[in-house]
Amino acid sequence: MHRAGFVNIFGKPNAGKSTLLNALLGEKLAIVSPKVQTTRHRITGILTEPGYQVVFSDTPGIIDPKYKLHEKMMGAVRSALEDADVALLLMDARDNLEECLELFSSLKLKATCLLVVNKMDNLMQEELDKLLERCNAWGKAKAVVAISALQKKGLDVLMQQIVSLLPESEPFYPEDTLTDRSTRFFVAEMIREKIFHLFEEEIPYHTAVVVTQFQEKQTLTKISADIVVTRETQKGIILGEKGKSIREIGSQARADIEKFLDRKVFLELHVKVRGKWRDNDLYLREYGLI
């Protein structure tokens, strides 16, 4: 009997959804940062093993939309609500349990749910036991599983639970398929991740990255990308004094891209100002965000 199905990950910003997706796949597909709302897209990762195939989706953190960009992000969450066979409701062990459960209840999920308590290593065993007891008392999840996605603890138990809930089905994708996203998409995300790591709160949220050239030459891959910001002052910050900051973005991103592509990369970055792009359908479409 072969099992296959769609398993979608839901939770508040910074619950660890992207870290969990990467840990389950054993590959870094989703970018990760300590800042909230890092994920803007619904990212699919496919895990194929003898006897089953799991199509995971990492969704943006559930927020109250303030821009058209946010509305698009919540659209990705809504579409994931509709096609899940199994929903992983992911919460940070240190978050307010009542708030998390209220949020999960508001999703009105039709899919079978697993309540996953992440960052278990941040609690003492006695605290964790009490928390899990309260989680089980909620009664709306098929099971409650404690994990640490970062330390890869509890993932075997979680996978056993997931596979047991998958419907009988043939695989949806060839066994060597890891994702349905393009290479260009992941290159842009790797550049954007460096902006999240290198700059303060405001800058990453005003920034988009668009790959404008992807040319595979004999000895290397030539990539050009635009970093889009909303104001001239932000452009100056991204560039840095005498171009120091943009060189640092390029250097760190290139290392990750070379590892991802397994070949040498020439990376060229430009900064463009597009006022209010987060509220502009034309720009959002151009940047692949709607």
Side-chain angles (χ1 to χ4, degrees), residues 67 195 199-208 227-240 245-246 249 271-278:
Y67 301 95
I195 296 168
F199 294 93
E200 291 303 315
E201 290 299 327
E202 177 191 293
I203 295 294
Y205 301 108
H206 288 256
T207 305
I227 298 172
V228 181
V229 293
T230 57
R231 295 195 293 269
E232 284 290 340
T233 51
Q234 294 165 348
K235 178 178 179 177
I237 293 168
I238 292 284
L239 288 171
S245 295
I246 198 166
I249 297 168
V271 187
K272 291 189 175 178
V273 179
R274 296 285 183 269
K276 297 185 178 178
W277 68 262
R278 296 180 299 176

Side-chain angles (χ1 to χ4, degrees), residues 46-240:
I46 300 147
L47 178 65
T48 303
E49 296 288 353
Y52 67 87
Q53 183 179 80
V54 187
V55 184
F56 287 106
S57 277
D58 173 25
T59 62
I62 302 164
I63 56 170
D64 182 23
K66 291 182 173 60
Y67 301 95
K68 284 189 178 179
L69 170 62
H70 290 166
E71 290 170 10
K72 180 265 165 194
M73 288 159 62
M74 291 307 95
V77 173
R78 282 191 293 276
S79 70
L81 289 171
E82 292 165 8
D83 63 21
D85 292 304
V86 179
L88 300 186
L89 307 179
L90 189 69
M91 59 169 283
D92 186 323
R94 297 165 301 184
D95 274 353
N96 182 292
L97 177 61
E98 282 69 31
E99 280 183 16
C100 290
L101 296 182
E102 187 179 336
L103 178 69
F104 295 146
S105 295
S106 73
L107 296 175
K108 296 182 172 58
L109 283 163
K110 297 182 181 118
T112 304
C113 303
L114 291 173
L115 182 54
V116 184
V117 179
N118 191 24
K119 307 180 187 180
M120 59 183 274
D121 44 304
N122 289 326
L123 295 183
M124 301 294 287
Q125 189 60 49
E126 187 179 344
E127 291 177 291
L128 181 62
D129 290 342
K130 286 180 181 175
L131 176 61
L132 295 179
E133 189 178 328
R134 291 166 64 203
C135 288
N136 278 301
W138 184 47
K140 295 184 182 180
K142 196 76 174 175
V144 178
V145 184
I147 66 163
S148 169
L150 191 62
Q151 297 187 5
K152 297 182 171 61
K153 290 179 181 175
L155 299 188
D156 289 346
V157 174
L158 178 58
M159 277 307 305
Q160 287 168 13
Q161 290 284 356
I162 290 169
V163 173
S164 72
L165 298 172
L166 293 178
E168 289 183 43
S169 171
E170 291 303 307
F172 297 100
Y173 294 90
E175 66 177 51
D176 59 348
T177 305
L178 180 63
T179 183
D180 60 357
R181 289 283 186 176
S182 68
T183 302
R184 276 177 175 243
F185 169 82
F186 289 109
V187 167
E189 286 289 272
M190 288 174 204
I191 298 166
R192 196 166 67 86
E193 180 182 53
K194 301 313 166 196
I195 296 168
F196 264 88
H197 282 289
L198 291 169
F199 294 93
E200 291 303 315
E201 290 299 327
E202 177 191 293
I203 295 294
Y205 301 108
H206 288 256
T207 305
V209 177
V210 186
V211 174
T212 55
Q213 181 186 30
F214 190 96
Q215 199 172 11
E216 292 194 340
K217 297 183 175 290
Q218 196 166 359
T219 57
L220 56 73
T221 298
K222 185 177 181 183
I223 300 170
S224 295
D226 290 341
I227 298 172
V228 181
V229 293
T230 57
R231 295 195 293 269
E232 284 290 340
T233 51
Q234 294 165 348
K235 178 178 179 177
I237 293 168
I238 292 284
L239 288 171

